[in-house]
Amino acid sequence: MEFNVRRLAADAGTFLSRAVQFTEEKFGQAEKTELDAHLETLLSRVESTKHWTEKIMKQTEVLLQPNPNVRMEEFLYEMLDKKVPTRANNHELLGESMIDSGHEFGPGTAYGSALIKCGETEKLLGSAEKEFIQSSAINFLTPFRNFIEGDFKTISKERKLLQNKRLDLDAAKNRLKKARVADARSAAETELRIAQSEFDRQAEITRLLLEGISSTHAHHLRCLNDFVDAQASYYAQCYQYMVNLQKQLGSFPSTFSNNNQPASTSSASISVPTAQAAASLPAPPPSQASPALNELRSTSGTRKARVLYDYDAASSSELSLLADEVITVSSVPGMDSDWLMGQRGNQKGKVPITYLELLN
């Protein structure tokens, strides 16, 4: 008990000494030991890193989740260490509405079928968006947040200790100046040597931590590359989905064109920013040989078909395709005229005609 009381008294004395020193410095009544230029530069760099890391994090969160109410809800779930409930995003909600309305109007009608195709694509866009958000949160936001909540907090703690050691050092210097008796000067000199040693040691610890900011920048650069890669993959995936949808809608009969536009202009064109990007996209399919297709439908037989480009199945009733592979196709009575039944080994499912080239 007596030891604790003495320790509390010593801590109170140290706190008071630092407070007096700090106040006198503010009023210009006491000298202040300046940190070396290199240390000041490092401190400024760390503060700048902290400021911009927080700002980039905030704007990235807004980009990934524009709804502030949803962001606040997710933050509260995170604070409570609870799982965020799964919810449909805007693309998925739009897709559900389109699919439901398409079934209402009739999958056999041009408009109903088009709505269903658009709805399935919107759901694919929603799924891609969720994957992009999850990837960005793990590979980009989390490392930035770890710096703010981990490394920077450690740096701040050591920086505060350095400030306290600097105040102790300057207070010791002032006591030495005011000492008049030999014994008092001897004690003050001893106190100053100890304070200087502790200050130098803490300055070195702080400097080593601050110099680690270069490694932080290198790590954040790798995270930035991951974020850009995720964005590029996401937008390319979305673009491919929309190109595929355009091709499917383009296979509808000419009577399904805009009432005020000729059928030949009903399909919108998309400009590709670079020649390299254009070269990587599949070429539009050649017109299908009507005699071969009519023969396939009339005989209910099977034919071999070459896949023109990749196709991702939008439902369990469809078959995913890989460009240049050869599959077996057949016509099924009552099936939409834009589709055939495809088979690869034991796998079977609907495939769009516009993705195929019937072989002789």
Side-chain angles (χ1 to χ4, degrees), residues 50 53-54 57 61 75 78-79 141-154:
K50 184 250 188 184
T53 299
E54 287 181 329
M57 279 176 53
E61 289 169 350
F75 174 75
E78 184 178 340
M79 292 295 291
L141 285 178
T142 297
F144 274 45
R145 189 175 291 111
N146 287 343
F147 166 72
I148 297 297
E149 297 177 355
D151 293 349
F152 184 76
K153 281 188 175 181
T154 301

Side-chain angles (χ1 to χ4, degrees), residues 326-348:
V326 176
I327 63 172
T328 302
V329 295
S330 59
S331 178
V332 177
M335 180 178 289
D336 191 318
S337 60
D338 298 324
W339 298 79
L340 291 173
M341 181 61 66
Q343 182 170 355
R344 182 201 303 112
N346 295 327
Q347 296 179 317
K348 294 183 67 175

Side-chain angles (χ1 to χ4, degrees), residues 10-30:
D11 290 344
T14 301
F15 176 80
L16 180 60
S17 174
R18 290 170 181 169
V20 170
Q21 179 64 30
F22 182 79
T23 303
E24 290 180 349
E25 289 176 358
K26 287 296 181 182
F27 285 98
Q29 298 173 352

Side-chain angles (χ1 to χ4, degrees), residues 18 35 153-169 195 198-203 205-206 209:
R18 290 170 181 169
L35 301 177
K153 281 188 175 181
T154 301
I155 291 173
S156 297
K157 178 183 176 182
E158 297 300 329
R159 183 179 180 179
K160 185 177 180 181
L161 284 174
L162 178 62
Q163 170 75 351
N164 289 336
K165 296 301 181 183
R166 203 250 330 142
L167 290 171
D168 292 343
L169 175 61
E198 292 181 350
F199 170 77
D200 292 341
R201 178 176 176 276
Q202 186 58 40
I205 293 173
T206 306
L209 280 174

Side-chain angles (χ1 to χ4, degrees), residues 71-341:
R71 287 203 307 275
M72 179 58 67
E73 181 183 348
E74 291 176 350
F75 174 75
L76 292 175
Y77 273 102
E78 184 178 340
M79 292 295 291
L80 296 173
D81 198 22
K82 291 186 177 181
K83 185 179 179 180
V84 179
T86 302
R87 60 169 65 85
N89 57 30
N90 291 331
H91 282 294
E92 291 173 325
L93 293 174
L94 175 58
E96 290 291 345
S97 297
M98 286 182 167
I99 292 173
D100 291 344
S101 62
H103 285 296
E104 178 72 21
F105 295 131
T109 66
Y111 183 41
S113 178
L115 281 169
I116 292 173
K117 292 177 188 297
C118 291
E120 290 171 345
T121 299
E122 289 295 334
K123 292 181 72 174
L124 288 174
L125 293 175
S127 177
E129 181 183 14
K130 284 183 174 179
E131 291 178 2
F132 166 61
I133 291 174
Q134 182 180 20
S135 172
S136 299
I138 295 173
N139 299 321
F140 188 63
L141 285 178
T142 297
F144 274 45
R145 189 175 291 111
N146 287 343
F147 166 72
I148 297 297
E149 297 177 355
D151 293 349
F152 184 76
K153 281 188 175 181
T154 301
I155 291 173
S156 297
K157 178 183 176 182
E158 297 300 329
R159 183 179 180 179
K160 185 177 180 181
L161 284 174
L162 178 62
Q163 170 75 351
N164 289 336
K165 296 301 181 183
R166 203 250 330 142
L167 290 171
D168 292 343
L169 175 61
D170 288 337
K173 288 178 180 179
N174 287 333
R175 281 193 288 272
L176 179 59
K177 286 182 180 180
K178 296 176 182 179
R180 296 291 182 263
V181 183
D183 291 344
R185 286 188 61 84
S186 177
E189 289 172 352
T190 301
E191 183 183 2
L192 177 59
R193 282 195 300 271
I194 295 173
Q196 183 70 57
S197 175
E198 292 181 350
F199 170 77
D200 292 341
R201 178 176 176 276
Q202 186 58 40
E204 181 64 14
I205 293 173
T206 306
R207 182 186 64 79
L208 291 173
L209 280 174
L210 294 175
E211 288 178 345
I213 200 65
S214 296
S215 297
T216 299
H217 284 191
H219 179 51
H220 286 184
L221 175 58
R222 291 192 294 272
C223 297
L224 184 61
N225 285 330
D226 290 341
F227 180 60
V228 171
D229 288 345
Q231 277 188 307
S233 176
Y234 167 59
Y235 290 127
Q237 192 175 11
C238 292
Y239 179 80
Q240 189 61 58
Y241 286 148
M242 298 313 296
V243 168
N244 292 344
L245 178 61
Q246 271 195 314
K247 295 182 186 302
Q248 293 181 55
L249 294 183
S251 68
F252 281 93
S254 59
T255 55
F256 184 56
S257 62
N258 189 315
N259 292 336
N260 298 322
Q261 298 288 339
S264 60
T265 61
S266 62
S267 178
S269 62
I270 296 179
S271 60
V272 183
T274 65
Q276 182 180 4
S280 66
L281 293 173
S287 57
Q288 196 63 258
S290 296
L293 185 58
N294 291 335
E295 179 186 351
L296 177 63
R297 286 175 173 156
S298 63
T299 60
S300 298
T302 61
R303 291 286 294 271
K304 294 293 185 180
R306 183 175 67 86
V307 177
L308 297 175
Y309 42 85
D310 293 350
Y311 175 74
D312 293 327
S315 66
S316 58
S317 64
E318 298 178 12
L319 181 67
S320 294
L321 304 175
L322 296 175
D324 294 327
E325 71 170 324
V326 176
I327 63 172
T328 302
V329 295
S330 59
S331 178
V332 177
M335 180 178 289
D336 191 318
S337 60
D338 298 324
W339 298 79
L340 291 173
M341 181 61 66

